[in-house]
Amino acid sequence: MPDALSLLLERHSTPSRQLGEPAPDESTLQRLLEAAIRVPDHGKLVPFRLIRLHGEAKLAFGRRLAAIAIRNHPEMSEAKREKEQLRYTFAPLVIAVVACLHADSKVPEIEQKLCAGNVAYNLLLGAHALGLGAQWLTGWAAYDADAAAMLGLATHEHVVGFVHLGTPQIEIPDRDRPALADLLSTWTP
């Protein structure tokens, strides 16, 4: 029997700069998104939504974000300006995962945010399972009011991550991982 945990043990992020075409086709993307939204959801609040950025719209989004960054930080070095201008040009598809917090719910806000975060992580796992590459990024844009307005977010919403998806263009070596023994303890009364 194959190791049922190999998917988790082999999962790693592919840097967005190393993601290219092809993106998942429409039917594969729909299946990936359906899998991604199957998350623990205390109270069945569905405290998340997804925004697809692809094609010219993705590039326009990236250009507008770069303009915001440069406007807010005119002293930015040329290297940082270039990084901002190129950020959304590599991966062919980006999914913005948005937390939609229900302030009137008895479910704590942290649980609602974790639910949305699980959607982003499921996108990473699903992409890996499909042989695609993915990277979950936040950066300043996830916390910026102008970026939120550009995405049409309501006051109770915020980005938990921009998941960049595509086909890995190079083989990505795994990074060093922490030792379980350094992280696990056993509670005793």
Side-chain angles (χ1 to χ4, degrees):
M1 176 166 111
D3 182 1
L5 295 177
S6 63
L7 178 72
L8 292 172
L9 293 169
E10 295 168 0
R11 195 219 64 83
H12 63 273
S13 294
T14 302
S16 62
R17 288 179 168 263
Q18 303 303 328
L19 294 170
E21 294 286 354
D25 62 42
E26 191 59 30
S27 67
T28 302
L29 177 61
Q30 290 300 308
R31 190 150 162 79
L32 173 60
L33 296 175
E34 287 171 0
I37 64 173
R38 293 181 61 94
V39 293
D41 181 3
H42 184 182
K44 300 178 187 170
L45 297 176
V46 191
F48 54 84
R49 66 185 180 99
L50 307 170
I51 301 172
R52 179 179 12 193
L53 302 165
H54 71 288
E56 181 52 40
K58 174 188 66 91
L59 297 174
F61 179 75
R63 286 191 298 270
R64 290 180 184 180
L65 282 183
I68 292 169
I70 292 167
R71 180 193 73 215
N72 291 344
H73 302 283
E75 75 290 351
M76 185 183 302
S77 71
E78 193 55 42
K80 287 187 178 181
R81 285 174 187 256
E82 182 179 2
K83 181 179 179 180
E84 290 295 339
Q85 290 166 340
L86 295 176
R87 189 181 306 271
Y88 284 83
T89 62
F90 302 105
L93 175 65
V94 178
I95 303 293
V97 180
V98 177
C100 309
L101 304 177
H102 300 262
D104 58 343
S105 173
K106 292 180 182 179
V107 176
E109 187 176 283
I110 185 67
E111 292 185 27
Q112 296 179 55
K113 288 179 181 179
L114 289 169
C115 180
N118 281 324
V119 173
Y121 187 59
N122 272 358
L123 282 170
L124 296 182
L125 285 176
H128 180 70
L130 293 168
L132 297 167
Q135 186 176 28
W136 175 354
L137 298 171
T138 50
W140 66 268
Y143 310 102
D144 183 82
D146 291 332
M150 189 172 24
L151 287 168
L153 303 188
T155 57
H156 70 285
E157 297 180 317
H158 68 271
V159 172
V160 297
F162 297 99
V163 180
H164 295 242
L165 292 159
T167 300
Q169 302 300 293
I170 63 171
E171 188 69 30
I172 304 296
D174 199 12
R175 65 175 175 82
D176 290 338
R177 302 293 175 166
L180 178 60
D182 294 340
L183 303 172
L184 179 65
S185 63
T186 301
W187 183 84
T188 56

